[in-house]
Amino acid sequence: MNIEFLLLLLLLGSVVGIMAGLLGIGGGLIVVPALMFLLPMAGIEPSIAMQIALATSLASIIVTSGSSAYNHFKLGNVDMFVVKWLMPGVVIGGFLGANVAEWIPSQYLPKVFGVIVLCLAVQMLFSIRGKSQRQMPGSGATMSIGTGIGMISSLAGIGGGSLSVPFLNRHGIEMRKAVGSSSVCGCFIALSGMLGFIFHGYKAEALPAYSLGYVYLPALIGITSTSMLTTRIGARLASTMPTATLKKIFALFLMFVAGTMLL
């Protein structure tokens, strides 16, 4: 640990908080690539860097998405039907994703992450021009879809907003409520995924000091100490910004992250 590493974590947390409140993401799409760059500064072995980045990202999302969800709830941006039926599925899927990540060789995890995000970016770009909407599926189908969202999100170390926001908006949920509801569900995806990584991390070798399984506590504290303060800025922006603009920002953000991880 050094002052440069700490300052970069604080800056990362500030950006993550704003983006979480604005887009309904937990911040994993920023945190995972950033930690892959920063963790070697803390002397962490490359063989476990991706697992630590994923686990620490999920742990930070619990705080970041929780703060974002609270601010969106105060602004009336949460759809309780969505939360009620999507949440059980995303919790189950989140734990399953952490188990799948343990089976994938470490060198392939960044590529898996990049491909997932690239698919999300393409989907969102097409949805900007698409005007047709569908009705929300029934409770059972919503729960099943939530399981898939949770599994993919945990595998990529994200809170699920990149999947759930386009899904909800496509099925008639207004963009601001899709963002707010996604923030609530993101907390529980992250919690179940983090627990899976903690469980598997206890068996890992070469873990750094101050780790809880694969969760690296110094990075977690540095990121969340600022992210939980800046989510309110993003939530207020989301409540005033036009929906089309919000979608364009979301799509461009996904494209940038996908390109970073793949290249």
Side-chain angles (χ1 to χ4, degrees):
M1 289 289 288
N2 56 59
I3 189 65
E4 181 185 1
F5 182 67
L6 178 59
L7 289 175
L8 287 171
L9 289 174
L10 295 175
L11 177 62
L12 174 61
S14 299
V15 174
V16 164
I18 293 173
M19 298 300 284
L22 178 63
L23 302 179
I25 61 174
L29 292 172
I30 305 173
V31 173
V32 174
L35 285 181
M36 285 295 290
F37 173 76
L38 293 174
L39 288 176
M41 297 174 61
I44 291 175
E45 295 290 333
S47 61
I48 58 171
M50 189 63 186
Q51 285 90 336
I52 289 179
L54 292 172
T56 305
S57 170
L58 289 168
S60 71
I61 287 167
I62 297 172
V63 178
T64 304
S65 283
S67 177
S68 176
Y70 174 72
N71 285 294
H72 277 291
F73 186 80
K74 289 196 300 182
L75 294 167
N77 293 341
V78 176
D79 188 306
M80 294 312 296
F81 172 86
V82 169
V83 173
K84 179 180 178 181
W85 293 110
L86 202 61
M87 189 181 296
V90 300
V91 170
I92 295 170
F95 189 78
L96 291 175
N99 284 274
V100 172
E102 185 67 14
W103 301 336
I104 299 175
S106 299
Q107 64 268 30
Y108 296 128
L109 275 175
K111 301 302 180 185
V112 171
F113 180 92
V115 170
I116 290 173
V117 177
L118 181 61
C119 292
L120 298 175
V122 172
Q123 177 192 11
M124 179 56 84
L125 284 172
F126 278 112
S127 75
I128 292 175
R129 294 186 177 182
K131 296 185 181 299
S132 60
Q133 289 186 335
R134 307 169 185 174
Q135 290 186 339
M136 277 292 293
S139 56
T142 301
M143 193 180 300
S144 298
I145 292 168
T147 302
I149 290 174
M151 185 171 179
I152 295 172
S153 300
S154 180
L155 184 59
I158 60 179
S162 308
L163 286 163
S164 55
V165 170
F167 165 72
L168 294 174
N169 189 243
R170 175 72 171 169
H171 288 82
I173 304 298
E174 197 267 330
M175 189 65 178
R176 293 176 183 83
K177 288 200 171 184
V179 168
S181 303
S182 174
S183 296
V184 177
C185 294
C187 294
F188 292 89
I189 293 177
L191 177 61
S192 58
M194 181 197 69
L195 291 175
F197 276 107
I198 289 175
F199 174 76
H200 289 291
Y202 276 120
K203 299 179 290 183
E205 298 179 357
L207 286 174
Y210 309 109
S211 292
L212 184 61
Y214 280 126
V215 177
Y216 186 46
L217 296 177
L220 172 63
I221 294 170
I223 293 168
T224 56
S225 61
T226 51
S227 67
M228 64 186 299
L229 300 176
T230 56
T231 54
R232 68 185 68 182
I233 299 173
R236 287 173 183 166
L237 288 173
S239 295
T240 58
M241 191 174 291
T243 297
T245 303
L246 200 56
K247 280 190 173 185
K248 289 176 182 177
I249 293 173
F250 199 105
L252 291 173
F253 168 70
L254 292 180
M255 289 293 287
F256 171 76
V257 173
T260 299
M261 292 303 289
L262 288 173
L263 299 177

